[in-house]
Amino acid sequence: MLKIEDLQVRLGEKEILTHIDLEIGPGETHILFGPNGSGKTSLLMTIMGYSQYEVVSGKIFFKGKDITHAPIDERARMGIGMSYQRPPTINGLKTRQMVNLCAGGEIDGETLAKRVNFEEFLDRDVNAGFSGGEIKRSELLQLMAQKADLMLFDEPESGVDMENISLVGNTIAELLEKHPQPSRDRSKMQAKANRTKMGLIITHTGYILDYLPADKGQVLYNGKLSCVSNPRDILNCVGDSGYKECVRCISMNSFS
Ligand SMILES: Nc1ncnc2c1ncn2[C@@H]1O[C@H](COP(=O)(O)OP(=O)(O)O)[C@@H](O)[C@H]1O
Ligand SMILES: [Mg+2]
């Protein structure tokens, strides 16, 4: 559903991503790890279509269509959505209006906002004076309204207090259809075959893995996707030995 082939991206004079190959199939969630400055945010911004990220070579396909040079609004309409690490404040635009814009028409913002305890913020300007956790909840609300098929999350736990982490984690799990089915067997997640939503989540802490099982973990190091493995294994390896060693050792092991 998302297919990236040998992508090379420049930001100004700097080459920030090289030889990126990535495939996320329907119902899959991938976790992206990597040290600061390795290019994680740049990869998400490139998939979303920000024009300052110049695709020098390679291709991006989504739903079978070449979107390498498609404008950002077209990608959003096709079903790509993003939760930003540090989204801007938009003075003069109420959160309620933003939610309606994301939905492509008037929707019941109150009911949607209730799911992330955000009703009282609907009539405030987008992100104006919001705390870290409030910004994340606002981002999730917008994604819910958009009903995106591919969701890109840039460090969704950063700046969120312990109390709200579970709300953020469970909401992302729900958005990605990884929440338990309310029917017959509550202990089982919706089977992968029935899921269509796709996710790419950047995390440093790995807290998000406590709320949703991910299909693959990848490490972006110096602008290159250096390895693919089980996300928990990557997290443990980085915790024990650091990124440099992790990239070296995991790349020698096969995907588990
Ligand atoms: N506007 C910019 N101009 C020049 N370099 C930038 C700009 N924004 C980011 N970079 C650089 O691009 C590299 C990748 O940044 P980023 O994608 O934000 O990394 P990460 O999200 O992994 O921390 C970093 O070296 C960063 O300093
Ligand atoms: Mg970043």
Side-chain angles (χ1 to χ4, degrees):
M1 271 290 236
L2 174 77
K3 190 168 190 217
I4 298 180
E5 287 177 359
D6 200 15
L7 195 72
Q8 202 157 335
V9 174
R10 205 161 45 199
L11 182 60
E13 291 301 299
K14 192 173 170 178
E15 193 173 292
I16 42 168
L17 297 171
T18 44
H19 300 302
I20 301 287
D21 289 300
L22 175 68
E23 262 188 69
I24 303 181
E28 283 183 8
T29 294
H30 292 212
I31 306 285
L32 192 59
F33 299 94
N36 291 329
S38 59
K40 303 181 298 299
T41 296
S42 303
L43 177 57
L44 265 52
M45 298 291 265
T46 305
I47 296 170
M48 194 67 239
Y50 281 83
S51 56
Q52 64 267 44
Y53 295 84
E54 186 197 345
V55 175
V56 180
S57 61
K59 297 251 180 240
I60 306 173
F61 297 93
F62 183 59
K63 295 183 177 174
K65 190 175 167 198
D66 183 349
I67 59 158
T68 315
H69 301 289
I72 191 165
D73 60 312
E74 189 181 330
R75 298 184 201 207
R77 269 185 263 274
M78 283 179 75
I80 304 180
M82 180 161 171
S83 159
Y84 297 85
Q85 189 181 357
R86 284 183 290 266
T89 297
I90 310 177
N91 291 313
L93 182 70
K94 303 286 176 221
T95 302
R96 185 187 301 278
Q97 294 170 302
M98 183 62 153
V99 169
N100 284 335
L101 282 172
C102 290
E106 288 255 322
I107 56 161
D108 178 5
E110 303 279 340
T111 304
L112 213 54
K114 228 176 235 166
R115 287 164 56 188
V116 280
N117 290 338
F118 217 63
E119 305 99 294
E120 65 182 286
F121 296 86
L122 285 173
D123 291 312
R124 279 172 59 177
D125 286 356
V126 176
N127 296 328
F130 288 8
S131 71
E134 288 160 2
I135 285 178
K136 297 297 171 187
R137 282 188 280 149
S138 169
E139 291 288 287
L140 291 178
L141 177 60
Q142 291 165 49
L143 272 181
M144 278 180 195
Q146 190 191 343
K147 294 196 175 134
D149 296 319
L150 168 65
M151 286 164 263
L152 312 168
F153 297 92
D154 197 347
E155 300 196 30
E157 322 106 317
S158 76
V160 181
D161 60 49
M162 292 308 280
E163 220 174 316
N164 278 297
I165 284 242
S166 63
L167 176 69
V168 168
N170 286 323
T171 306
I172 293 176
E174 203 177 312
L175 280 166
L176 293 169
E177 301 171 325
K178 294 221 167 201
H179 54 298
Q181 283 286 70
S183 60
R184 285 157 284 173
D185 186 355
R186 290 185 65 86
S187 65
K188 276 202 181 134
M189 279 190 319
Q190 189 161 332
K192 188 174 166 190
N194 296 331
R195 289 199 307 261
T196 56
K197 302 287 185 184
M198 296 167 278
L200 181 57
I201 308 175
I202 297 175
T203 180
H204 279 294
T205 62
Y207 287 143
I208 199 75
L209 295 172
D210 294 340
Y211 300 93
L212 62 132
D215 301 281
K216 281 181 194 171
Q218 327 221 359
V219 176
L220 191 66
Y221 194 79
N222 282 342
K224 272 190 191 158
L225 275 178
S226 300
C227 59
V228 182
S229 188
N230 179 296
R232 284 267 176 218
D233 291 347
I234 293 179
L235 198 60
N236 292 338
C237 180
V238 171
D240 291 345
S241 324
Y243 275 114
K244 200 170 176 188
E245 187 62 19
C246 164
V247 167
R248 197 183 68 79
C249 100
I250 289 184
S251 60
M252 290 191 306
N253 296 318
S254 58
F255 172 64
S256 55

